[in-house]
Amino acid sequence: MKKRVLAGFLAMTLALSCLVGCQSGGKTEEKQGKTEASDAKEDTDSGELPVVRVAVMPFYISSQIGYIIDNKLDEANGFKIEPVMFPTGAPMNEAIASDSYDVATIGGAFVFGVANFDAHVIASHINGTGGNEIWAYKDSALAGVKGTNPDYPDVLGSPDTVKGVKIVQTTGTTGQLAVTKWLEAIGVPETDVQMVHMEFAQCYQAFKGGQADVAALTSPYCFQTDDTMVKVADLDQLGLQLYEEITLTDKAYNNEEIKAVIPAFLKTLYEVNDELEANPDKKFEAVKKWYNDNGGSATDEDIQAECDLKPFVTTEDAKALKLGDYEAAYAEFMVSQDKLDGDKVETVKNNTTSEFLDEALK
């Protein structure tokens, strides 16, 4: 029977400026965010607002944060967002120990931050299943084999055609998850392939340049392939649905001033999701502006595809979701793939809390 992880993700997405973001480690953006926060405080008649440092990426996953800041919805709701830029979710997790941020907009990498660094899942804000794909070249042997596993009839590849191939993927992200699940579906041990870690943009460039046989491409890069390439599999074909998550660091969780602001932060986020999902044109413009403001180069077609593939979680969606179900199932899946120690499932369960969400959705 085809396994299916409970609804939910992703991560993830555009990373044109990954190298720049990686080199800066988020510090440049953090300093800029602090400057902006200081300026805002000086301009606030009602006095100093509490600041929430939000870890963001220059992708779709964080676009609502940009909309909130641009329209000063944070200040209108009694707090100030200070954005802290990261290239992917993995370095967000690594930065928890250095107390670089309070809240994160993060994809599949959330599970490692929660399991290993005691972060807390407090909400899901995007259905991120779409835009996570695996690609190969049409003239490759694996492209000629389909349905090796009848439980995954649309998936390409077989043990004989995949053994020894070079796969580029971004470790600790949904790209890696997609590759892991694909290899499992067609019966290929990871030890039989060459797995190479690269950031999202590098994966695309390496594959496009013929330096890899297979690539895990997140949006918008999966929309920028050409007719020499073929999609091998995507998360939906592999029986996975994922959510992008909002996490809170343990230090922030134990800071009463920050905790007091989190319900207002989530309420504002869901109000923005409601507004943008109800107005597709406004959503497109908001996402496009976020990409442009952060060095992105996605075309209008790419952005529109992403908006269509990855709906924002609305207030009603959030009320219907049982926070904790997807997170536990995702952790269990990672254990089954030897990506997480078995005892960490309980940690993920214990560190998933609806207390702030319940208050925000009242």
Side-chain angles (χ1 to χ4, degrees):
M1 292 291 293
K2 176 177 175 181
K3 295 181 180 179
R4 177 173 293 272
V5 175
L6 293 175
F9 148 116
L10 125 348
M12 315 194 78
T13 349
L14 179 76
L16 176 135
S17 297
C18 280
L19 290 177
V20 175
C22 221
Q23 290 167 354
S24 69
K27 293 180 180 178
T28 299
E29 291 295 330
E30 183 176 357
K31 290 177 181 177
Q32 180 181 346
K34 288 179 178 177
T35 299
E36 292 171 350
S38 298
D39 292 342
K41 290 174 186 176
E42 292 174 1
D43 294 337
T44 302
D45 294 333
S46 59
E48 189 172 290
L49 293 174
V51 173
V52 179
R53 299 170 300 165
V54 181
V56 297
M57 304 181 215
F59 323 144
Y60 181 84
I61 190 173
S62 304
S63 54
Q64 304 107 306
I65 302 301
Y67 186 84
I68 291 171
I69 294 171
D70 288 343
N71 292 280
K72 298 187 183 299
L73 300 176
D74 50 348
E75 297 176 53
N77 285 283
F79 61 96
K80 177 71 178 177
I81 288 178
E82 178 183 308
V84 186
M85 187 65 71
F86 291 88
T88 64
M92 282 185 182
N93 290 331
E94 295 166 5
I96 292 175
S98 61
D99 188 29
S100 297
Y101 64 87
D102 305 310
V103 173
T105 54
I106 190 168
F110 86 89
V111 73
F112 302 107
V114 174
N116 300 323
F117 298 98
D118 278 333
H120 303 260
V121 178
I122 59 172
S124 299
H125 71 300
I126 297 174
N127 184 326
T129 308
N132 292 273
E133 303 176 357
I134 302 169
W135 284 75
Y137 285 95
K138 279 185 178 179
D139 60 3
S140 64
L142 71 89
V145 182
K146 185 176 182 180
T148 296
N149 184 337
D151 285 341
Y152 307 97
D154 298 318
V155 172
L156 305 185
S158 66
D160 290 341
T161 60
V162 172
K163 185 176 181 179
V165 300
K166 180 179 179 180
I167 304 172
V168 290
Q169 50 78 39
T170 308
T171 302
T173 71
T174 49
Q176 181 186 23
L177 174 64
V179 170
T180 298
K181 183 61 177 177
W182 169 57
L183 293 175
E184 179 193 71
I186 61 174
V188 178
E190 287 191 25
T191 52
D192 283 357
V193 299
Q194 181 185 358
M195 295 273 277
V196 179
H197 163 72
M198 293 182 178
E199 299 295 350
F200 296 127
Q202 291 174 295
C203 286
Y204 173 74
Q205 292 298 334
F207 179 60
K208 184 179 179 181
Q211 300 171 34
D213 304 301
V214 176
L217 301 179
T218 55
S219 57
Y221 296 111
C222 57
F223 309 138
Q224 297 175 8
T225 54
D226 59 45
D227 58 9
T228 68
M229 307 166 185
V230 63
K231 184 170 74 171
V232 173
D234 60 36
L235 287 181
D236 190 57
Q237 292 170 341
L238 292 167
L240 296 173
Q241 288 187 306
L242 303 174
Y243 283 110
E244 314 284 17
E245 304 281 63
I246 302 295
T247 59
L248 182 69
T249 68
D250 192 57
K251 187 165 185 177
Y253 183 79
N254 288 288
N255 182 311
E256 292 303 320
E257 182 180 3
I258 294 173
K259 284 184 71 173
V261 177
I262 297 304
F265 167 77
L266 291 179
K267 184 174 185 294
T268 304
L269 178 65
Y270 283 114
E271 287 175 348
V272 166
N273 281 2
D274 292 343
E275 178 183 357
L276 297 182
E277 279 300 310
N279 191 329
D281 291 339
K282 182 180 287 188
K283 178 183 179 181
F284 171 85
E285 292 301 329
V287 174
K288 181 176 180 177
K289 186 176 188 302
W290 178 251
Y291 278 145
N292 290 343
D293 288 350
N294 292 284
S297 64
T299 66
D300 286 0
E301 290 77 14
D302 294 342
I303 293 171
Q304 187 61 63
E306 195 161 27
C307 288
D308 294 340
L309 277 172
K310 297 184 174 186
F312 293 159
V313 175
T314 65
T315 298
E316 291 307 310
D317 294 333
K319 288 178 179 179
L321 287 173
K322 185 178 178 182
L323 194 67
D325 284 355
Y326 156 66
E327 291 74 17
Y330 186 86
E332 289 167 356
F333 178 80
M334 296 306 284
V335 170
S336 75
Q337 301 302 305
D338 295 323
K339 305 300 180 186
L340 200 66
D341 292 338
D343 60 353
K344 295 296 186 180
V345 174
E346 282 304 311
T347 302
V348 172
K349 289 180 179 179
N350 293 335
N351 283 4
T352 300
T353 175
S354 64
E355 60 185 290
F356 304 106
L357 185 61
D358 292 343
E359 181 68 23
L361 297 179
K362 281 184 178 178

Coordinates of all heavy atoms in Angstrom, one line a residue, residues 98-133:
S98 N 22.8 30.4 18.8 CA 23.3 31.7 19.0 C 22.3 32.8 19.2 O 22.6 34.0 19.2 CB 24.2 32.1 17.7 OG 23.3 32.1 16.6
D99 N 21.0 32.3 19.4 CA 19.9 33.3 19.7 C 19.8 34.4 18.7 O 19.7 35.5 19.0 CB 20.1 33.9 21.1 CG 18.9 34.7 21.6 OD1 17.8 34.4 21.1 OD2 19.1 35.7 22.3
S100 N 19.8 34.0 17.4 CA 19.8 34.9 16.3 C 18.4 35.4 15.9 O 18.2 36.4 15.2 CB 20.4 34.3 15.0 OG 21.8 34.0 15.3
Y101 N 17.3 34.7 16.4 CA 16.0 35.0 16.0 C 15.0 34.4 17.1 O 15.4 33.6 17.9 CB 15.6 34.6 14.6 CG 15.6 33.1 14.4 CD1 14.5 32.3 14.7 CD2 16.8 32.4 13.9 CE1 14.5 30.9 14.5 CE2 16.8 31.1 13.8 CZ 15.7 30.3 14.1 OH 15.7 29.0 13.9
D102 N 13.8 34.8 17.0 CA 12.7 34.3 17.9 C 11.8 33.3 17.2 O 11.5 32.3 17.7 CB 11.9 35.5 18.5 CG 12.8 36.5 19.1 OD1 13.6 36.1 20.0 OD2 12.6 37.7 18.8
V103 N 11.3 33.7 16.0 CA 10.4 33.0 15.2 C 10.9 32.7 13.8 O 11.7 33.5 13.3 CB 9.1 33.8 15.1 CG1 8.1 33.1 14.1 CG2 8.4 34.0 16.4
A104 N 10.6 31.5 13.3 CA 11.1 31.2 11.9 C 9.9 30.8 11.0 O 8.9 30.2 11.4 CB 12.1 30.0 12.0
T105 N 10.1 31.2 9.7 CA 9.2 30.6 8.7 C 10.1 29.6 8.0 O 11.0 29.9 7.3 CB 8.8 31.7 7.7 OG1 10.0 32.4 7.2 CG2 8.0 32.8 8.3
I106 N 9.7 28.3 8.2 CA 10.6 27.2 7.8 C 9.9 26.1 7.2 O 8.7 25.8 7.5 CB 11.4 26.8 9.0 CG1 12.6 25.8 8.7 CG2 10.5 26.2 10.1 CD1 13.6 25.6 9.8
G107 N 10.5 25.3 6.3 CA 9.9 24.2 5.6 C 10.2 22.9 6.4 O 10.2 22.8 7.6
G108 N 10.5 21.8 5.6 CA 10.7 20.5 6.2 C 11.9 20.4 7.2 O 11.9 19.5 8.0
A109 N 12.8 21.4 7.1 CA 13.9 21.4 8.0 C 13.5 21.7 9.5 O 14.2 21.5 10.4 CB 14.9 22.5 7.6
F110 N 12.2 22.0 9.6 CA 11.7 22.3 11.0 C 11.9 21.2 11.9 O 12.2 21.4 13.1 CB 10.2 22.6 10.9 CG 9.3 21.4 11.0 CD1 8.9 20.9 12.2 CD2 8.9 20.8 9.8 CE1 8.1 19.8 12.3 CE2 8.1 19.6 9.9 CZ 7.7 19.1 11.1
V111 N 11.8 19.9 11.4 CA 11.8 18.8 12.3 C 13.2 18.6 13.0 O 13.2 18.2 14.2 CB 11.5 17.5 11.5 CG1 12.7 17.1 10.6 CG2 11.1 16.3 12.4
F112 N 14.3 19.1 12.4 CA 15.6 19.0 13.0 C 15.8 20.1 14.1 O 16.4 19.8 15.1 CB 16.7 19.0 11.9 CG 16.5 18.0 10.9 CD1 16.1 18.2 9.6 CD2 16.8 16.6 11.2 CE1 16.0 17.2 8.6 CE2 16.7 15.6 10.3 CZ 16.2 15.9 9.0
G113 N 15.2 21.2 13.8 CA 15.3 22.3 14.8 C 14.5 22.0 16.0 O 14.9 22.2 17.2
V114 N 13.4 21.3 15.8 CA 12.5 21.0 16.9 C 13.1 19.8 17.7 O 13.1 19.8 18.9 CB 11.1 20.6 16.4 CG1 10.2 20.1 17.5 CG2 10.4 21.9 15.8
A115 N 13.6 18.8 17.0 CA 14.1 17.6 17.6 C 15.4 17.8 18.3 O 15.7 17.2 19.3 CB 14.2 16.5 16.5
N116 N 16.3 18.6 17.7 CA 17.7 18.7 18.1 C 18.0 20.0 18.9 O 19.0 20.0 19.6 CB 18.6 18.5 17.0 CG 18.5 17.2 16.3 OD1 18.3 16.2 16.9 ND2 18.6 17.2 14.9
F117 N 17.2 21.0 18.7 CA 17.5 22.3 19.3 C 16.3 22.8 20.1 O 16.3 24.0 20.5 CB 17.9 23.3 18.2 CG 19.1 23.0 17.5 CD1 19.0 22.3 16.2 CD2 20.4 23.2 18.0 CE1 20.2 22.0 15.5 CE2 21.5 22.8 17.3 CZ 21.4 22.2 16.0
D118 N 15.3 22.0 20.4 CA 14.2 22.3 21.2 C 13.4 23.5 20.8 O 12.8 24.3 21.6 CB 14.6 22.6 22.7 CG 14.8 21.3 23.5 OD1 14.1 20.3 23.1 OD2 15.6 21.2 24.4
A119 N 13.3 23.7 19.4 CA 12.4 24.7 18.9 C 11.0 24.2 19.1 O 10.8 23.0 19.3 CB 12.7 25.0 17.4
H120 N 10.0 25.1 18.9 CA 8.6 24.7 19.1 C 7.8 25.0 17.9 O 7.8 26.1 17.4 CB 8.0 25.4 20.3 CG 8.7 25.2 21.6 ND1 8.3 24.3 22.6 CD2 9.9 25.8 22.1 CE1 9.1 24.4 23.6 NE2 10.1 25.2 23.3
V121 N 7.1 24.0 17.3 CA 6.1 24.3 16.2 C 4.9 25.0 16.8 O 4.3 24.4 17.7 CB 5.7 23.0 15.5 CG1 4.7 23.4 14.4 CG2 6.9 22.3 14.9
I122 N 4.5 26.1 16.3 CA 3.4 26.8 16.8 C 2.3 27.1 15.8 O 1.2 27.5 16.1 CB 3.8 28.2 17.4 CG1 4.4 29.1 16.4 CG2 4.7 28.0 18.6 CD1 4.7 30.5 16.9
A123 N 2.5 26.8 14.5 CA 1.5 27.0 13.5 C 2.0 26.5 12.1 O 3.2 26.3 11.9 CB 1.1 28.4 13.3
S124 N 1.1 26.2 11.2 CA 1.4 25.9 9.8 C 0.9 27.1 9.0 O -0.3 27.4 9.2 CB 0.8 24.6 9.4 OG 1.3 23.5 10.1
H125 N 1.7 27.6 8.0 CA 1.2 28.8 7.3 C 1.1 28.7 5.8 O 0.5 29.5 5.2 CB 2.0 30.0 7.7 CG 3.4 30.0 7.2 ND1 4.4 29.0 7.4 CD2 4.1 30.9 6.3 CE1 5.5 29.3 6.8 NE2 5.3 30.4 6.1
I126 N 1.7 27.6 5.3 CA 1.6 27.4 3.8 C 1.5 25.9 3.6 O 2.2 25.1 4.2 CB 2.8 27.9 3.1 CG1 2.9 29.4 3.2 CG2 2.8 27.5 1.6 CD1 4.2 30.0 2.6
N127 N 0.6 25.5 2.6 CA 0.6 24.1 2.1 C 1.7 24.1 1.1 O 1.5 24.6 0.0 CB -0.8 23.8 1.5 CG -0.8 22.3 1.1 OD1 0.1 21.7 0.7 ND2 -2.0 21.7 1.2
G128 N 2.8 23.4 1.4 CA 4.0 23.5 0.6 C 4.2 22.2 -0.2 O 5.4 22.0 -0.6
T129 N 3.2 21.4 -0.5 CA 3.4 20.2 -1.3 C 3.9 20.5 -2.7 O 4.9 19.8 -3.1 CB 2.1 19.4 -1.3 OG1 1.6 19.2 0.0 CG2 2.4 18.0 -2.0
G130 N 3.3 21.4 -3.4 CA 3.7 21.6 -4.8 C 5.1 22.3 -4.9 O 5.6 22.9 -3.9
G131 N 5.7 22.2 -6.0 CA 6.9 22.8 -6.3 C 8.2 22.2 -5.7 O 9.2 22.8 -5.6
N132 N 8.0 20.9 -5.4 CA 9.2 20.1 -4.9 C 9.3 18.9 -5.9 O 8.5 17.9 -5.8 CB 9.0 19.6 -3.5 CG 9.0 20.7 -2.5 OD1 10.1 21.1 -2.0 ND2 7.9 21.3 -2.2
E133 N 10.2 18.9 -6.8 CA 10.3 18.0 -7.9 C 11.7 17.4 -8.1 O 12.7 18.1 -7.7 CB 9.8 18.6 -9.2 CG 8.4 19.2 -9.0 CD 7.9 19.9 -10.3 OE1 8.7 20.0 -11.2 OE2 6.7 20.3 -10.3

